[in-house]
């Protein structure tokens, strides 16, 4: 019986372990929707064809401008890799929409629901019938009914054409303000009042749709609480010290707040100039209707409670990854803390925890945490305690505790490559920045093992183990006056030969590299030589194939106020992609394009690959200012396989920016030249000189190491003629392909 019980427990443990190790970021499925494939210009023409011929010329112009801008801007979101379709979360949201609109099939056909890979609590509807729901909203709502009400609200925005009406009204207010000399604040107030009216209308009409369904009306009030406190994590759990500390190293009491700050509502502000009325006001307006609503036979779950819980679990896991990708390490750590509190065997949460600590250690060691760790002053609730600790802890203390924690997870998951890599990097960082070797750790532990003199021995002391003595020696009270207690963190690991050997190996690498931070990078001398060579002779990389990520082309008109010329940008984009194919063939370089612009409906795998690599690139560039050249983003474990899929480890990112400026100074220069007599011919030059600039950028990155191996930047005071772009691209491709 006991043996059977043991076998059952082992099977359960293995199942939990396997499920934890199977985590993979959400991906889109099925055919790519038309919204993602149709050109922005085509969408714009369809919308423009519906313009009301009876409307005044100005209103028609306003609507035409709205159709143009909104289609291109939304298209940018769709092609950013940040939007999911047919994934489990989007499917669930669509099922809720089916339930809500079962009696309104015409409206249901017009609406498409997508999920946005963002941790922020938000949802918005477009004039084109797309409703975008942020992952952060799904993670925060308490039940299915709350999400259903928010969807009802967004449906009204679409049905009543609030987006375009708001734009047109805003333009009317701007013209009236200029005509009648209305102050800026009064104009802003007028826009705000109009926008708030639309929100109230959406609340009220959305509730009518909601009440026709079988969803529980008693949850609607709480939906506004979700929005009101959306700045907080998905749960409020008291931070536990052992999340960072271990039994041998305790942090000083002054690292901890006696009391965390009080939670304040986001609504505690004057909403006079806001686009949205505050949540309390919105909630109060609906209370009379909710109090009289029928509750019999209503439910919080119509699609299903178990499915909601599964989807919410996915959303909360995804949020951790998004925080890492955005380098919000405090948020990533607290989110992983919450997940580990729910399940100690959650390997994904453990990896998020270690990755966040690893990156934060690197930024701390380089004394550059601005932008990656928010000040605890701005944090509310229980998570403030963690932010306070992270703000006060020294780089060495954090590095030491992080390495100890990483080794504990490595012992638990010895075959996990991600955890092993984090262990190596933390050991390297500790040896490189804090001159640490295990000698001083071992020496202090041995001192605690020394037996006291015979005349001082007491019976109780003889019963203490080695670690009991360590714990007694480093009691929290003693620690506050002892600057060497950081050295006790490895007390459990010093008898582990694997830990000792691994640390020694990384310490030797650190000693060899000196201050180059080169566990993964070139030394600064090599970097300087490479840059110098590229500037004079160009590179000879000897690469046969590269993967190119969505080549971008922008047409900007600064003369009209830094406006992007949408139609010209799209035309230039298409032409640019064709040029790349032609020029790469001429240079003998194989270039595989991974772009959402030229995908077929059945190429969803490529769309997912593009989305994954886009995340990789964004995070990699964010690290580039502070961290070593060979720094891999947190998503590397999910993109490594793409090296084999595409047969190359080299990823190219390129863009061309054509800028039309408005240089009024040329007239002054021309006048001065005319006054100078001999310099008069120069006046003609200044008058006919085009006020344009063409910028060409190209970066080549190594997916295996994170290294940026080629950076090309060219700026010319001339138009973006085809020959200029082609010649530059050919030169770049030639440097990439030719051998030394």
């Amino acid at each position: 019986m006991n043996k059977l019980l043991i076998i059952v427990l082992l099977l359960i443990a293995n199942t939990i372990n396997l499920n934890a190790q199977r985590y993979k970021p959400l991906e889109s499925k099925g055919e790519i929707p038309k919204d993602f494939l149709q050109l922005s210009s085509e969408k714009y023409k369809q919308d423009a064809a519906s313009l009301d011929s009876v409307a005044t010329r100005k209103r028609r112009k306003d609507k035409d401008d709205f159709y143009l801008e909104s289609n291109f801007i939304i298209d940018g979101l769709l092609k950013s890799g940040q939007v999911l379709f047919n994934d489990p979360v989007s499917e669930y949201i669509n099922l809720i929409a089916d339930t809500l609109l079962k009696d309104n099939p015409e409206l249901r056909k017009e609406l498409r629901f997508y999920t946005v890979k963002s941790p922020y609590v938000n949802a918005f509807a477009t004039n084109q019938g797309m409703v975008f729901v942020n992952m952060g909203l799904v993670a925060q709502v308490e039940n299915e009914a709350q999400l259903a009400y928010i969807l009802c609200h967004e449906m009204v925005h679409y049905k009543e054409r609030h987006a375009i009406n708001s734009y047109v009204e805003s333009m009317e207010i701007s013209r009236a303000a200029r005509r009648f000399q209305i102050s800026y604040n009064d104009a802003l107030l007028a826009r705000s009042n109009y926008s708030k009216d639309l929100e109230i209308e959406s609340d009220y009409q959305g509730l009518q749709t909601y009440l026709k369904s079988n969803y529980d009306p008693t949850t609607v009030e709480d939906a506004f609480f979700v929005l009101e406190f959306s700045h907080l994590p998905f749960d409020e759990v008291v931070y536990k010290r052992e999340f960072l500390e271990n039994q041998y190293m305790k942090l000083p009491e002054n690292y901890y707040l006696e009391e965390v700050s009080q939670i304040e509502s986001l609504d505690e502000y004057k909403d006079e100039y806001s686009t949205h009325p505050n949540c309390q006001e919105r909630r109060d307006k609906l209370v009379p209707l909710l109090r009289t609503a029928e509750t019999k036979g209503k439910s919080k779950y119509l699609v299903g409670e178990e499915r909601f819980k599964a989807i919410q679990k996915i959303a909360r896991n995804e949020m951790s990854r998004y925080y890492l990708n955005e380098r919000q390490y405090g948020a990533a750590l607290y989110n992983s803390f919450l997940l580990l509190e729910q399940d100690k065997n959650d390997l994904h949460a453990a990896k998020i925890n270690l990755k966040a600590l690893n990156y934060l250690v690197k930024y701390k060691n380089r004394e550059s945490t601005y932008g990656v760790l928010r000040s605890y002053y701005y944090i509310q609730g229980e998570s403030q305690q963690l932010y306070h600790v992270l703000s006060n802890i020294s780089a060495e203390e954090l590095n030491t505790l992080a390495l100890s924690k990483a080794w504990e997870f490595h012992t638990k998951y010895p075959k996990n490559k991600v955890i092993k890599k984090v262990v190596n990097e933390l050991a390297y960082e500790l040896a490189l920045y804090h001159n640490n070797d295990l000698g001083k750790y071992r020496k202090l532990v041995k001192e605690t093992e020394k037996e006291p003199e015979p005349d001082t021995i007491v019976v109780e002391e003889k019963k203490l183990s080695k670690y009991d003595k360590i714990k007694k020696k480093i009691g929290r009270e003693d620690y506050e006056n002892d600057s060497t207690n950081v050295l006790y963190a490895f007390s459990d690991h010093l008898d582990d030969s694997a830990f000792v050997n691994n640390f020694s190996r990384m310490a030797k690498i650190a000693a060899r590299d000196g201050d180059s931070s080169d566990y993964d990078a070139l030394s600064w001398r090599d970097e300087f030589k490479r840059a110098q060579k590229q500037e004079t002779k160009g590179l000879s990389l000897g690469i046969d194939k590269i993967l190119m990520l969505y080549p971008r082309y922008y047409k900007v008109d600064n003369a009209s106020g830094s406006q992007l010329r949408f139609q010209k940008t799209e035309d230039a984009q298409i032409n640019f992609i064709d040029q790349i194919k032609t020029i790469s063939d001429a240079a003998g370089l194989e270039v595989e394009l991974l772009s959402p612009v030229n995908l077929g409906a059945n190429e969803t795998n490529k769309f997912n690959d593009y989305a994954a690599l886009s995340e990789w690139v964004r995070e990699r560039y964010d690290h580039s200012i502070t961290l070593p050249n060979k720094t891999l983003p947190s998503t590397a474990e999910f993109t490594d396989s793409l090296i084999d899929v595409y047969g190359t480890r080299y990823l190219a990112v390129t863009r061309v920016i054509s800028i039309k400026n408005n240089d009024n100074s040329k007239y002054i220069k021309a006048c001065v030249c005319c006054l100078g007599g001999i310099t008069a011919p120069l006046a003609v030059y200044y008058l006919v000189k085009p006020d344009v600039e063409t910028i060409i950028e190209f970066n080549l990155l190594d997916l295996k190491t994170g290294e940026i191996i080629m950076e090309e930047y060219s700026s010319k005071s001339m138009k973006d003629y085809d020959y200029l772009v082609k010649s530059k691209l050919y030169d770049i491709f030639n440097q990439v392909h030719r051998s030394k």
Side-chain angles (χ1 to χ4, degrees):
M1 184 66 181
N2 288 337
K3 288 184 178 179
L4 181 61
L5 180 62
I6 291 171
I7 291 171
V8 171
L9 290 173
L10 285 173
L11 286 172
I12 292 172
N14 286 334
T15 301
I16 292 171
N17 214 11
L18 282 172
N19 288 337
Q21 295 195 44
R22 283 176 186 155
Y23 171 81
K24 188 180 179 184
L26 275 186
E27 292 184 333
S28 298
K29 296 189 306 182
E31 284 194 0
I32 303 176
K34 185 180 178 181
D35 289 328
F36 291 76
L37 299 175
Q38 190 177 16
L39 291 175
S40 306
S41 56
E42 293 174 0
K43 297 175 186 176
Y44 159 64
K45 288 174 184 176
Q46 289 174 2
D47 286 343
S50 66
L51 283 172
D52 185 3
S53 58
V54 180
T56 64
R57 182 180 60 81
K58 288 182 178 178
R59 289 185 74 86
R60 284 201 306 273
K61 175 68 166 57
D62 290 340
K63 288 187 175 183
D64 187 69
D65 289 344
F66 172 82
Y67 289 142
L68 179 66
E69 292 180 25
S70 63
N71 275 297
F72 278 87
I73 290 171
I74 293 165
D75 214 46
L77 174 62
L78 291 169
K79 290 179 170 59
S80 68
Q82 293 294 96
V83 180
L84 292 160
F85 55 85
N86 299 329
D87 62 287
V89 178
S90 297
E91 286 179 344
Y92 178 68
I93 292 169
N94 275 277
L95 286 173
I96 296 174
D98 292 341
T99 302
L100 291 166
L101 296 176
K102 65 180 181 179
D103 296 326
N104 193 346
E106 291 302 316
L107 178 59
R108 182 65 188 95
K109 286 179 184 178
E110 295 176 25
L111 293 167
R112 290 90 68 203
F113 294 83
Y114 304 118
T115 307
V116 182
K117 294 187 278 187
S118 168
Y120 305 106
V121 176
N122 194 24
F124 62 96
T126 70
N127 196 69
Q128 295 82 356
M130 287 173 273
V131 179
F132 296 96
V133 180
N134 282 8
M135 196 71 71
L137 176 61
V138 181
Q140 292 270 17
V141 290
E142 297 174 298
N143 51 59
E144 182 182 304
Q146 290 178 358
L147 183 56
Y149 172 70
I150 293 170
L151 294 184
C152 289
H153 173 98
E154 296 304 328
M155 291 174 192
V156 177
H157 278 314
Y158 164 73
K159 190 172 70 167
E160 299 299 328
R161 299 295 188 264
H162 283 172
I164 188 168
N165 292 340
S166 181
Y167 180 88
V168 171
E169 183 67 19
S170 178
M171 298 305 293
E172 291 277 14
I173 291 171
S174 296
R175 284 193 290 269
R178 291 193 297 270
R179 183 179 176 185
F180 300 109
Q181 297 184 340
I182 297 173
S183 71
Y184 172 81
N185 283 345
D186 287 341
L188 186 61
L189 182 61
R191 291 191 191 95
S192 172
N193 288 337
Y194 183 80
S195 179
K196 282 188 282 193
D197 287 343
L198 298 183
E199 291 300 320
I200 296 297
E201 181 183 8
S202 293
D203 286 342
Y204 179 78
Q205 289 193 25
L207 184 60
Q208 304 308 310
T209 300
Y210 180 88
L211 293 177
K212 291 176 185 176
S213 74
N214 285 322
Y215 280 113
D216 185 356
T218 63
T219 64
V220 173
E221 286 187 59
D222 288 337
F224 286 100
F225 280 110
V226 171
L227 302 176
E228 189 176 342
F229 296 98
S230 61
H231 57 295
L232 299 173
F234 70 78
D235 202 355
E236 275 291 291
V237 177
V238 175
Y239 170 74
K240 295 180 179 177
R241 296 186 178 199
E242 58 265 30
F243 184 65
L244 279 181
E245 295 181 359
N246 62 38
Q247 57 185 325
Y248 305 107
M249 180 179 167
K250 308 296 181 183
L251 296 174
E253 284 297 329
N254 63 352
Y255 284 16
Y256 295 94
L257 294 165
E258 292 184 8
E259 187 178 357
V260 297
S261 67
Q262 222 174 7
I263 292 174
E264 296 179 357
S265 167
L266 283 179
D267 282 354
E268 292 183 3
Y269 68 95
K270 290 184 178 180
D271 65 355
E272 187 179 9
Y273 298 108
S274 173
T275 58
H276 285 58
N278 68 56
C279 290
Q280 294 177 23
E281 179 186 341
R282 293 168 66 184
R283 181 170 53 244
D284 291 344
K285 286 181 180 294
L286 296 183
V287 165
L289 291 171
L290 293 170
R291 293 287 186 265
T292 58
E294 178 62 55
T295 59
K296 188 177 180 180
K298 304 285 185 170
S299 174
K300 294 179 181 177
Y301 304 95
L302 296 182
V303 176
E305 183 174 359
E306 291 305 313
R307 184 158 188 176
F308 170 79
K309 289 178 179 177
I311 292 300
Q312 188 172 70
K313 173 69 173 175
I314 291 171
R316 290 174 175 179
N317 275 322
E318 287 290 294
M319 280 180 66
S320 294
R321 196 171 64 79
Y322 302 158
Y323 285 136
L324 265 185
N325 194 240
E326 294 182 5
R327 301 186 306 155
Q328 296 184 40
Y329 299 126
L333 282 168
Y334 191 76
N335 211 68
S336 67
F337 163 71
L338 293 176
L339 294 173
L340 287 168
E341 283 293 293
Q342 295 175 354
D343 180 5
K344 299 294 183 187
N345 294 309
D346 189 337
L347 176 58
H348 169 64
K351 290 195 292 186
I352 292 291
N353 172 244
L354 294 182
K355 287 179 181 180
L357 285 173
N358 186 27
Y359 285 116
L360 193 53
V361 162
K362 293 175 182 179
Y363 280 96
K364 276 259 186 187
N365 281 339
R366 291 159 182 81
E367 300 180 350
S368 181
T369 57
Y370 180 77
V372 301
L373 181 64
R374 289 187 68 192
S375 169
Y376 71 90
Y377 180 81
Y378 300 105
I379 307 299
Q380 297 176 6
E382 297 299 337
S383 64
Q384 188 188 40
Q385 192 69 270
L386 174 61
Y387 279 86
H388 190 267
V389 171
L390 295 174
S391 297
N392 285 278
I393 194 170
S394 72
E396 183 178 10
E397 287 169 334
L398 183 62
N399 202 157
T400 306
L401 284 172
L403 177 55
S404 178
K405 185 73 66 177
W407 190 259
E408 289 173 17
F409 279 118
H410 172 61
T411 304
K412 187 175 182 179
Y413 306 104
K415 294 183 179 180
N416 190 276
K417 294 179 181 179
V418 174
I419 293 177
K420 182 60 188 299
K421 187 174 187 301
V422 171
V423 167
N424 289 343
E425 293 187 8
L426 287 169
Y428 179 95
E429 289 281 320
L430 189 61
L432 180 67
Y433 278 90
H434 307 291
N435 266 330
N436 284 338
D437 61 73
L438 291 182
K440 55 185 177 181
Y441 293 98
R442 190 177 294 278
K443 178 180 178 183
L444 283 173
V445 173
K446 284 182 177 179
E447 285 178 355
T448 65
E449 291 182 283
K450 289 181 180 179
E451 295 296 330
E453 296 299 322
D455 59 346
T456 62
I457 294 179
V458 292
V459 176
E460 290 78 12
E461 188 71 3
K462 288 183 179 179
K463 295 179 181 178
L464 297 178
S465 69
K466 174 177 82 172
Y467 298 112
D468 286 334
K469 296 173 188 176
I470 295 172
K471 293 175 192 176
K472 184 176 180 181
K473 176 168 180 164
I474 63 168
R476 195 171 294 276
E477 183 178 347
D478 293 338
Y479 178 78
E480 291 180 17
N481 299 313
D482 187 353
S483 62
T484 61
N485 273 269
V486 67
L487 305 177
Y488 290 102
F490 301 141
S491 296
D492 263 349
H493 311 316
L494 291 172
D495 292 330
D496 186 340
S497 60
F499 175 82
V500 173
N501 293 336
N502 189 73
F503 188 96
S504 299
R505 181 174 66 87
M506 299 313 297
K508 286 179 182 177
I509 297 174
R512 180 199 69 196
D513 293 339
D515 64 348
S516 67
S517 294
D518 192 34
Y519 57 83
D520 268 334
L522 294 169
S523 71
W524 67 269
R525 294 181 183 84
D526 293 332
E527 289 278 10
F528 178 76
K529 289 178 182 177
R530 188 186 67 179
Q532 193 175 43
K533 180 180 178 182
Q534 181 176 347
E535 189 176 342
T536 54
K537 300 179 181 179
L539 298 173
S540 300
L541 300 178
I543 295 171
D544 295 323
K545 181 181 180 180
I546 63 173
L547 184 64
M548 183 169 282
L549 193 68
Y550 193 10
R552 308 293 182 99
Y553 207 114
Y554 300 101
K555 293 271 194 175
V556 180
D557 187 358
N558 282 340
S560 301
S562 299
Q563 290 188 1
L564 186 66
R565 313 308 292 177
F566 297 109
Q567 185 63 65
K568 289 184 177 181
T569 289
E570 183 180 86
D571 294 340
Q573 177 93 49
I574 295 169
N575 182 53
F576 187 41
I577 290 174
D578 291 338
Q579 286 180 336
I580 288 170
K581 294 174 183 176
T582 303
I583 298 164
S584 61
D585 289 342
L589 176 68
E590 185 179 353
V591 176
E592 181 158 356
L593 286 168
L594 199 56
S595 165
V597 172
N598 54 353
L599 290 178
N602 294 315
E603 293 185 289
T604 308
N605 286 339
K606 283 193 171 184
F607 181 90
N608 288 328
D609 294 343
Y610 160 73
L613 289 171
S614 295
E615 287 183 13
W616 190 97
V617 168
R618 280 192 294 269
E619 185 182 348
R620 177 61 191 86
Y621 282 155
D622 286 342
H623 288 312
S624 61
I625 296 175
T626 303
L627 299 188
N629 188 18
K630 286 188 179 180
T631 294
L632 280 168
S634 60
T635 59
E637 65 171 305
F638 307 115
T639 55
D640 275 351
S641 60
L642 298 182
I643 295 173
D644 294 328
V645 171
Y646 292 99
T648 180
R649 62 192 286 179
Y650 301 106
L651 179 69
V653 181
T654 186
R655 67 175 179 176
V656 176
I657 308 173
S658 174
I659 305 171
K660 181 180 179 182
N661 295 308
N662 187 16
D663 185 10
N664 292 323
S665 66
K666 66 181 182 181
Y667 299 108
I668 298 173
K669 293 175 183 176
C671 290
V672 170
C673 290
C674 289
L675 293 173
I678 194 171
T679 59
L682 282 175
V684 179
Y685 166 76
Y686 284 119
L687 289 173
V688 300
K689 178 191 173 189
D691 299 334
V692 292
E693 181 182 12
T694 300
I695 298 171
I696 302 174
E697 297 176 352
F698 180 90
N699 286 346
L700 190 64
L701 303 97
D702 189 335
L703 287 171
K704 197 75 175 175
T705 65
E707 180 189 3
I708 302 176
I709 59 177
M710 182 178 183
E711 293 180 272
E712 190 75 33
Y713 178 89
S714 170
S715 176
K716 301 288 185 183
S717 296
M718 57 190 302
K719 277 195 66 170
D720 56 329
Y721 297 109
D722 271 2
Y723 77 84
L724 174 66
V725 176
K726 286 180 178 179
S727 61
K728 188 61 185 178
L729 274 181
Y730 181 81
D731 176 59
I732 290 169
F733 289 161
N734 190 42
Q735 292 183 56
V736 172
H737 180 58
R738 71 187 178 197
S739 301
K740 295 180 181 178

